[in-house]
């Protein structure tokens, strides 16, 4: 093959080009064989190992594209060549771009496998799919933005000004889609913070219902009257939410009033009667019962107890049982429930008796207020 040394292409002898071609082909074969060997061994290890690392590594290696092996062969084949100037620069940049692209694909496969495994571990949560899709989207967006920036830097583009421009453009884009992005990140916040789950009964402001779906943009709630309520996730993230599904027990406070005509002995016994009525209902924890205050038309007693179940039907059944027990006990003891009443006392003064000795002057005696009469035969005025 000495004759090949006499022929040149791009300032390289054909002998060197033949050597480079052979090394490149050998490198491709070796890399493919290495991949097959490693992947088969990793898959075999994954079949006998409960840990996910071998299976994860095998999935990442299987994400290697065929063109990457070809580019690896080109790099190995270029080693015997004495490339200078622009040719060497172009080859170097081409190889770095290929490596960055393959690195991005590896990381993308790793993200996909990691998210899929996490979603599998939370298969009992109905909204895990939504959260997994959001996490996958955000991670891949950050990954490829980083790969794109590194690729531009490899091509010799001054990225500082570009990053500044992208920052300004990103701000403008973020302002344009701030509601969408706000709902997206709020959905992730809702999932990881978990203020509620599918099926929970929640109250937001004056709206209430059971959560039926948690999406990327909004959460759907089925109200008690049957209609569907749709809340943007960003609003829910900023709202005060009451979650009744998370209750362990329900606290009940109620007041009753008895009439003011109730004897003292019965009034003093009313708190004990109320306690007995509560405790006999069962599945409750009594707290207190007191003669609270003097009301406008009743003596007011306040009672507090806990139903040891968050179920609303159990709560209502217990309260009904307590109310019936109180009614039966008061009826037996002769205690009357008070209701708003008002007593009006009317006072009518007695009129004065006519011709009485106290109010009229005596007979023949002049009244204090009457003018004195002159004697007969005399003039009322002196002459």
């Amino acid at each position: 093959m000495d004759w090949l040394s006499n022929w040149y292409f791009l300032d390289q002898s054909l002998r060197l080009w033949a050597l480079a071609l052979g090394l490149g082909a050998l490198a491709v074969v070796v890399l493919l064989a290495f991949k097959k060997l490693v992947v088969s061994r990793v898959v075999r290890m994954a079949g006998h190992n409960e840990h996910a690392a071998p299976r994860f590594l095998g999935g990442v290696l299987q994400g290697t594209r065929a063109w990457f092996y070809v580019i690896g062969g080109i790099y190995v084949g270029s080693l015997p060549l004495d490339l200078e100037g622009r040719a060497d620069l172009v080859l170097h940049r081409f190889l770095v771009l290929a490596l960055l692209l393959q690195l991005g694909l590896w990381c993308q496969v790793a993200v996909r496998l990691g998210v899929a495994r996490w979603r599998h571990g939370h298969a009992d949560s109905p909204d895990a799919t939504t959260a997994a899709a959001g996490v996958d989207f955000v991670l891949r967006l950050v990954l490829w933005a980083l790969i794109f920036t590194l690729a531009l830097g490899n091509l010799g583009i001054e990225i500082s000004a570009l990053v500044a421009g992208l920052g300004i453009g990103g701000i403008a884009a973020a302002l344009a889609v701030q509601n969408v992005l706000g709902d997206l990140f709020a959905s992730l916040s809702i999932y990881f913070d978990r203020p509620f789950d599918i099926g929970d009964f929640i109250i937001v402001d004056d709206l209430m219902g059971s959560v039926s779906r948690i999406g990327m943009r909004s959460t759907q709630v089925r109200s008690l009257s049957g209609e569907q309520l749709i809340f943007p996730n960003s609003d829910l993230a900023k709202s005060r939410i009451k979650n009744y599904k998370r209750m362990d027990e329900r606290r009940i406070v109620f007041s009753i009033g008895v009439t003011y005509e109730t004897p003292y002995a019965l009034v003093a016994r009313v708190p004990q009667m109320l306690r007995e009525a509560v405790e006999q209902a069962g599945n409750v924890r009594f707290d207190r019962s007191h003669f609270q205050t003097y009301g406008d038309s009743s003596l007011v007693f306040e009672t507090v107890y806990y139903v040891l179940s968050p179920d609303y039907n159990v709560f209502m059944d217990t309260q009904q049982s307590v109310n019936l027990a109180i009614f039966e006990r008061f009826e037996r003891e002769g205690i009357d429930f008070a209701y708003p009443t008002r007593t009006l006392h009317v006072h009518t003064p007695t009129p004065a008796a006519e011709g009485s000795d106290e109010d009229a002057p005596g007979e023949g005696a002049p009244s204090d207020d009457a003018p004195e009469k002159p004697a007969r035969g005399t003039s009322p005025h002196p002459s």
Side-chain angles (χ1 to χ4, degrees):
M1 298 181 63
D2 293 338
W3 62 272
L4 293 176
S5 302
N6 299 324
W7 296 84
Y8 289 87
F9 177 74
L10 296 178
D11 297 330
Q12 307 290 324
S13 66
L14 292 184
R15 183 173 178 275
L16 289 178
W17 283 111
L19 179 60
L21 182 61
L23 287 177
L26 179 62
V28 171
V29 172
V30 171
L31 289 174
L32 288 174
F34 177 76
K35 174 195 172 182
K36 184 176 181 180
L37 176 64
V38 172
V39 170
S40 61
R41 184 170 181 81
V42 167
V43 170
R44 196 180 312 114
M45 291 175 59
H48 301 284
N49 198 332
E50 296 181 356
H51 298 289
R55 190 176 294 109
F56 183 83
L57 180 59
V60 172
L61 290 177
Q62 288 177 343
T64 306
R65 299 293 190 268
W67 52 260
F68 181 72
Y69 299 107
V70 175
I71 293 174
I74 293 175
Y75 172 73
V76 174
S78 67
L79 294 178
L81 300 176
D82 187 16
L83 300 176
E84 296 179 357
R86 187 174 181 82
D88 182 65
L89 178 63
V90 170
L91 178 62
H92 178 268
R93 288 181 175 177
F94 179 72
L95 293 175
V96 172
L97 286 177
L99 180 60
L100 287 174
L101 180 58
Q102 183 59 63
L103 180 63
L105 293 174
W106 280 334
C107 293
Q108 181 173 268
V109 172
V111 168
R112 179 173 55 84
L113 293 175
V115 171
R117 177 171 175 78
W118 176 83
R119 181 175 55 189
H120 179 73
H122 296 77
D124 56 336
S125 177
D127 53 343
T129 302
T130 301
V135 172
D136 181 66
F137 171 77
V138 172
L139 292 179
R140 285 191 291 116
L141 179 63
V142 173
L143 169 65
W144 287 112
L146 180 60
I147 295 296
F148 179 72
T149 304
L150 294 175
L152 291 179
N154 175 68
L155 293 175
I157 299 175
E158 183 62 34
I159 63 173
S160 58
L162 179 62
V163 169
L166 290 176
I168 297 174
I171 293 174
L175 291 175
V177 296
Q178 59 178 335
N179 291 334
V180 177
L181 293 177
D183 291 331
L184 172 63
F185 286 104
S187 67
L188 298 179
S189 174
I190 288 173
Y191 181 79
F192 289 108
D193 194 39
R194 308 189 73 83
F196 51 80
D197 293 315
I198 301 294
D200 287 4
F201 187 87
I202 63 173
I203 296 180
V204 183
D205 297 329
D206 57 343
L207 302 174
M208 64 184 70
S210 298
V211 179
S212 58
R213 182 178 180 273
I214 302 175
M216 295 294 295
R217 193 195 69 83
S218 62
T219 295
Q220 299 176 6
V221 175
R222 184 69 62 181
S223 71
L224 292 176
S225 54
E227 71 270 17
Q228 188 180 63
L229 306 175
I230 300 177
F231 298 91
N233 289 330
S234 57
D235 290 350
L236 287 178
K238 296 182 291 185
S239 299
R240 292 173 175 82
I241 302 172
K242 294 183 179 179
N243 191 338
Y244 282 85
K245 188 67 176 294
R246 305 280 176 87
M247 296 175 64
D248 295 326
E249 56 188 17
R250 287 181 178 265
R251 183 176 185 265
I252 292 91
V253 181
F254 70 92
S255 299
I256 61 172
V258 300
T259 61
Y260 273 93
E261 289 77 16
T262 305
Y264 170 81
L266 290 178
V267 170
R269 292 172 52 201
V270 166
Q272 182 61 29
M273 297 180 192
L274 296 175
R275 176 169 188 162
E276 293 171 358
V278 170
E279 290 178 341
Q280 75 180 27
N283 198 33
V284 297
R285 176 166 55 87
F286 179 81
D287 187 11
R288 61 180 178 82
S289 181
H290 294 93
F291 177 12
Q292 184 185 31
T293 185
Y294 292 93
D296 293 337
S297 56
S298 64
L299 305 175
V300 181
F301 294 83
E302 183 181 73
T303 304
V304 180
Y305 69 96
Y306 294 85
V307 177
L308 304 181
S309 172
D311 188 83
Y312 187 77
N313 289 330
V314 174
F315 153 69
M316 288 303 301
D317 290 341
T318 303
Q319 184 63 34
Q320 175 179 261
S321 176
V322 170
N323 289 338
L324 291 175
I326 293 173
F327 194 99
E328 187 274 333
R329 184 64 180 272
F330 277 23
E331 184 179 49
R332 178 156 41 93
E333 297 289 344
I335 301 174
D336 294 328
F337 291 96
Y339 51 87
T341 58
R342 176 172 294 177
T343 303
L344 181 64
H345 296 278
V346 180
H347 174 70
T348 304
T350 304
E354 297 181 357
S356 63
D357 293 341
E358 298 178 356
D359 298 333
E363 186 178 355
S367 172
D368 295 339
D369 298 331
E372 185 179 352
K373 295 181 179 180
R376 183 176 295 179
T378 63
S379 173
H381 300 287
S383 55

